Amino acid sequence: MRNPLRRRRPRSPGLAAVAALLLTSACGQDLVPGTYEGPLSATGKRGAAGHVVECTGPAEGGNNYPGAYDNGALSDDADEAIRTAFDEALVFGARGGYVRVREDDGRALYTLTHDGGVRQALIVRDGQDGWYVESWARCDYSELPDEVAEEAGYEIWSDADGRVSTRRVQSYAGPAHCSWDDMTFLEIDEAEYVRAPEPDPHVATLLSGAYEAAVALPPDARDTGFHRGEDHLWLSADGAWAFVGDGERVERWPRAVGKLGCM
């Protein structure tokens, strides 16, 4: 089960953060030797940008090729088009840290490299009437810098092998516009658990029981192997509860038994 709340984000930073977008470029077609040499336009869900990123798992993204662009505002130059795309929530991921690595036939390729690989790519096109992001692709937030995941609202978990994909486990704060920002949502194994110290009456009816700030860890609780800092994650044998803590200090989070969402 995927929570509809999750699709209402990422959070939008202020103008100062937008102005801090890091973009560097130079003249010429191949600006950075050794960069992606394939075509900068392609069909498919993530377009040519999907061929640029180097991810350990599936990439996310979007593509406006081929066809007329009608998804958002046009911009005067490529750098501004990237800012516009983020402001209009047409692109998600890192807002800064990109390098303009290549230009070809009215298109510019920007990449974000982290931990030895390209983790996000944007291809910006000059559509004659203005510039726009034609295709983009991003690795899972667990493969991006910590500050990027934090800005997007994701809490990244780890296991014995390192950071874990948000497709396996993720947690995040509820939306402030619903006054749910004191709640934490956790998704794992197609289930959703909620840390809700003071849930509103409607939310309470959709949970398996009440949140408890301090309980004894049941002897049959299953250790998931996931942890964040000092907090570890266990699930009850029947899957109705998540237990989060260090083993001695454990919180009990109820499972959602109904569809949670707010407008």
Side-chain angles (χ1 to χ4, degrees), residues 59-120:
E60 297 186 11
N63 186 21
N64 294 298
Y65 174 87
Y69 179 73
D70 59 2
N71 290 341
L74 298 171
S75 301
D76 292 334
D77 57 47
D79 291 2
E80 182 184 341
I82 294 177
R83 290 189 286 268
T84 298
F86 276 102
D87 289 345
E88 296 187 346
L90 300 175
V91 175
F92 303 98
R95 295 186 68 112
Y98 294 100
V99 175
R100 186 170 179 169
V101 297
R102 183 177 160 201
E103 297 173 358
D104 187 13
D105 192 26
R107 292 178 173 86
L109 169 61
Y110 294 79
T111 60
L112 170 72
T113 300
H114 177 67
D115 197 24
V118 176
R119 306 307 183 196
Q120 185 154 354

Side-chain angles (χ1 to χ4, degrees), residues 116-135:
V118 176
R119 306 307 183 196
Q120 185 154 354
L122 308 169
I123 295 177
V124 189
R125 182 180 182 182
D126 181 2
Q128 305 305 317
D129 293 328
W131 289 81
Y132 60 92
V133 175
E134 183 175 68
S135 68

